[in-house]
Amino acid sequence: MRPSTGTTPYMFVYGTEVVITAEVKIPSLRVIQEAKLDDAEWIRVRQEQLIFIDERRIDAVCDGQLYQNRMASAFNKRMKPHQFTLGQLVLKKIFPHQEEAKGKFAPNWQDSYVVRRVLTCGALILVQMDGRVSTKPNNSDEIKRYHV
């Protein structure tokens, strides 16, 4: 027995056409035609669905904003602002991509520096102990106080 033109293997086995899950919530034209809705009823149902989609989209945006606010407040609770003053002795973190990083038993902090300038948003200009001024500002998260 050969399937007729337009018959899918699914219809051949199960005797009905496949309905995608998305078509159940937002019916396609094929599903609506099978339900035999008239044009006015179809338009009304479609408008209700579009309004429902807009409401769901607004709810999703609100939920996303609430989640971001919760995450920000949880993060900010744990943050301790670093306060540095001019002339203070500090150590600078050594990152893995720097030449000074020599392996896992090497020190994690570079030699002592002196704070030369405190910039906005936690940036610092440092001076090495021999008087050389660093050209790039450093983030205060990369710096820790050094006590003699």
Side-chain angles (χ1 to χ4, degrees), residues 60-148:
V61 168
C62 290
D63 289 344
Q65 289 174 346
L66 289 172
Y67 175 77
Q68 287 179 346
N69 290 341
R70 283 194 310 267
M71 292 280 92
S73 70
F75 177 79
N76 291 335
K77 276 184 197 174
R78 292 179 284 140
M79 290 302 298
K80 298 176 186 169
H82 300 284
Q83 300 295 326
F84 293 99
T85 58
L86 296 178
Q88 192 172 32
L89 292 174
V90 294
L91 297 174
K92 189 165 94 172
K93 186 173 183 74
I94 298 174
F95 291 101
H97 67 279
Q98 292 176 313
E99 291 179 17
E100 293 86 2
K102 303 282 188 212
K104 73 181 198 180
F105 296 113
N108 295 329
W109 299 92
Q110 287 180 352
D111 294 333
S112 58
Y113 290 84
V114 177
V115 176
R116 178 169 182 176
R117 224 172 120 197
V118 179
L119 304 174
T120 59
C121 300
L124 304 171
I125 300 290
L126 302 178
V127 178
Q128 291 182 357
M129 294 306 276
D130 61 2
R132 290 185 289 157
V133 178
S134 65
T135 57
K136 297 179 184 176
N138 294 289
N139 191 338
S140 63
D141 293 341
E142 305 168 359
I143 307 296
K144 75 175 183 178
R145 291 185 183 142
Y146 174 62
H147 302 284
V148 183

Side-chain angles (χ1 to χ4, degrees), residues 19-28 31 49:
V19 177
I20 301 172
T21 309
E23 289 181 346
V24 174
K25 293 200 182 233
I26 305 170
S28 67
V31 173
Q49 291 170 348

Side-chain angles (χ1 to χ4, degrees), residues 33-51:
Q33 286 174 344
E34 288 175 4
K36 296 185 173 58
L37 295 175
D38 63 342
D39 289 341
E41 180 70 14
W42 179 82
I43 291 171
R44 187 187 62 74
V45 169
R46 195 69 171 159
Q47 284 178 338
E48 288 176 1
Q49 291 170 348
L50 291 174
I51 290 170

